[in-house]
Every structure is written in C-alpha cells, then in structure tokens.
Amino acid sequence: MIWKTLVVLVLAAAVFGSAGYVAYDWFVIPQKQLQAERAHFEAHPPTPPPDPSLGDFKKLEKVRQGGDLVAARRAYRDFLAAWPQSSLQDEAKSVLGEINTRIFFSKYPAPEKEEYIVKPGDSLNRIASKMKTSVELIMVVNGLDGTLINVGDRLMVTHPDFALLIDQQGQTVTLFNQGEFFKRYRVLENKMPGKPAAPNSKAKVTSTIALKHGKALAVGSKGYSDSNRWIMTSAPNLTIYSVPEGEAAPAETPAKKEDDNSAEFNRSDKPNTGIGLAADEMRNLSALVRSGTPITFE
C-alpha cells in the first residue's frame, strides 16, 4: 500500500507541477514582460510624428520676411483656417497679433484704412465724429502724441469693429476685428471673486480710463502715453487693468509721492477686482476698444 501511495503522490506532483508551470508560463511571464515593456515605453516614449502643418508654417516665415505686412497677415489667417488642429496654432496667432498691431498702430497702408486730409476748422473730435471713429484711434494709427493737427495733414483713418473673448480657463483675452482674430493677451492677475461667468454669457465695455498716481488723464494730455489703463465693463466685478512689469499678483505697491513722475503704480491705479494684463498691452488694448465693445465669456 505504501508504494501505491507514493505513486499517487508522484503522479499528483507531476500533474499539479506541470499545471503550475503552465500557469506561470501563460500568466506570470507575459505579465512581467508587459510591465517591462510599459516601463521601457515610459522611459523612452516614441517620437511623435511631425505635425503635417509644419511645411506650410515654415512658408509663412518667408512671406513675412518679404516685408508685405498685408500679404503676411492674409497668409497667417489662411494657415489658421486651414489647420485648426495644428500644434502651431498658438505660435501662428502670436505672430499674427504682432503683424496686426504693426499694421494698425502705424500709417502702413491697408485695405481697411482710408486717408483723410485735414481741412480748415477741423479738430480730432470733429474728424472722429465725421468718420465714425474715436480720437484715440486716430492718434494711435497716425502716431500722434497730442491732439494738435494742421490744415493739410494727411491722416489714416480706420473703422474697426472690435469684440473681446475672455477665456476664463485658459486665462487669456482675445481681441477680434470684424470677426477675424486680431491679438491675444495673457492674463497676469486674476482677482475675480466668486464663480466664473457662465459660458457664452455676454457683457460690454462701458468706458476706458487712463490713470497716473490715482488721477484720471484726458486723451492726449501730458503723461497720457505712459499712463495706466482701466477698461470698465458691464460684467459684475470685471475691470481689465494694467499690471506693472515684474509685479506679482496680490501684492500692492505703496503709493508714490505726488511729485514722482515715473510710471510706477500706486494703490489707486489698480482696482480691487478684475483681471490684469501687462501695462504696455493694456495701453494697446484700451486704445482699440470703446464704449459698447461686446465681451463674450468662454
């Protein structure tokens, strides 16, 4: 009987041992191989395929180097429309914003501009009313430091139709003109209280203000060109304002002395709530928008 029991034990060991080996071979080894492959993949991720839009994007630089800003603007707009999923969209928009600004903030000829010759009795206010634009837009387009003009001066006048899109998640403010992308501004400070505005909710610009050491300045007055700007809106708690270079968000800068003519900020140059953009970009943006400019939240 003993030898029969030994035979049974040997056979059982053989059967179960082979089954255990098969299980190890079928399940354990593949699992370890999978883990090893995963670790190798994480350590050495495959090189992504090149963006198919890269070739067209490189051609844009050649167009821009040609010096024709209007042609370059058209080429970048075409690229954005043709490649909406391109990884180069942001870079293309950044360059297009620079091109749009260069065209707009100069007397560079463009289809959307028309020439106006100053007549006797004209003032910038009268011309702005007649041409359905604003004094500040005439000034920035023509590079004027003040409101003084002379008979016979040739002014370039434009009739933009601007709109703002505020991306609350991406922290950007995008400006459109006639429905076309114009420029994107990065939010440096966000002091908006409470919940974000509902997607696709609307507001509008109510006014723009130029401040220096807490004092409001008129368009074209002394100190206006480097003043700090606010864009007031109809949205609760939303003022778009200037942030000085290098200043971190919640900190406040001590008030400056009244006789200090630097462009530094004091407490009264920043609102308690709103979103802040770089000071130079705010001077750009506040010159472009005006009362009634629509705002959409995203």
Side-chain angles (χ1 to χ4, degrees):
M1 291 296 292
I2 294 176
W3 67 270
K4 290 184 179 180
T5 302
L6 291 174
V7 170
V8 170
L9 290 174
V10 170
L11 291 175
V15 170
F16 287 107
S18 62
Y21 178 80
V22 169
Y24 181 84
D25 190 40
W26 285 3
F27 299 105
V28 178
I29 291 178
Q31 186 68 22
K32 287 187 175 182
Q33 289 176 340
L34 181 61
Q35 290 174 352
E37 291 173 1
R38 185 177 299 163
H40 179 79
F41 178 83
E42 291 175 353
H44 307 87
T47 303
D51 190 320
S53 68
L54 182 59
D56 284 353
F57 184 79
K58 289 181 178 179
K59 294 177 184 177
L60 296 178
E61 184 61 25
K62 294 182 180 180
V63 177
R64 184 168 60 148
Q65 290 175 351
D68 187 337
L69 293 180
V70 174
R73 177 177 65 180
R74 183 169 55 250
Y76 275 87
R77 284 177 175 174
D78 290 345
F79 175 86
L80 292 173
W83 298 99
Q85 303 302 321
S86 171
S87 62
L88 300 164
Q89 277 265 325
D90 285 346
E91 189 173 348
K93 286 182 177 179
S94 178
V95 176
L96 179 55
E98 295 174 6
I99 294 171
N100 284 331
T101 302
R102 287 182 61 190
I103 291 174
F104 198 93
F105 284 80
S106 71
K107 298 185 76 170
Y108 191 91
E112 66 270 23
K113 295 180 180 178
E114 62 177 299
E115 186 178 71
Y116 180 89
I117 301 176
V118 178
K119 302 175 178 58
D122 272 343
S123 65
L124 286 185
N125 278 315
R126 181 172 294 180
I127 296 171
S129 177
K130 184 189 304 183
M131 302 299 290
K132 294 182 172 53
T133 184
S134 71
V135 170
E136 188 163 10
L137 281 178
I138 296 175
M139 291 178 64
V140 298
V141 170
N142 293 278
L144 302 178
D145 292 327
T147 57
L148 180 64
I149 54 175
N150 300 301
V151 174
D153 285 349
R154 295 177 179 272
L155 302 176
M156 297 298 289
V157 181
T158 186
H159 310 283
D161 182 17
F162 287 116
L164 290 171
L165 175 67
I166 298 180
D167 183 344
Q168 300 171 98
Q169 184 174 1
Q171 297 291 288
T172 59
V173 176
T174 303
L175 182 67
F176 294 87
N177 183 21
Q178 307 287 351
E180 295 275 1
F181 173 89
F182 188 87
K183 186 175 175 61
R184 177 178 289 170
Y185 305 87
R186 187 168 64 90
V187 173
L188 300 183
E189 287 186 3
N190 189 337
K191 300 194 296 184
M192 292 294 293
K195 296 180 180 179
N200 298 317
S201 58
K202 308 290 184 181
K204 63 181 179 180
V205 172
T206 55
S207 63
T208 59
I209 302 174
L211 294 169
K212 200 161 189 179
H213 310 315
K215 295 181 179 179
L217 302 177
V219 176
S221 63
K222 182 180 179 181
Y224 184 86
S225 61
D226 64 349
S227 61
N228 313 313
R229 308 298 172 86
W230 289 11
I231 298 175
M232 313 299 292
T233 79
S234 62
N237 302 311
L238 176 61
T239 298
I240 307 173
Y241 61 90
S242 300
V243 175
E245 184 177 355
E247 182 178 310
E252 290 185 335
T253 303
K256 303 298 287 185
K257 296 179 181 179
E258 287 298 321
D259 59 351
D260 186 351
N261 292 321
S262 72
E264 296 296 326
F265 285 49
N266 64 9
R267 290 188 184 90
S268 54
D269 286 336
K270 293 177 71 174
N272 293 326
T273 64
I275 56 177
L277 311 181
D280 58 338
E281 294 197 330
M282 267 302 296
R283 295 184 193 110
N284 171 310
L285 182 60
S286 67
L288 301 176
V289 302
R290 52 181 174 172
S291 178
T293 297
I295 301 171
T296 302
F297 292 89
E298 186 177 59

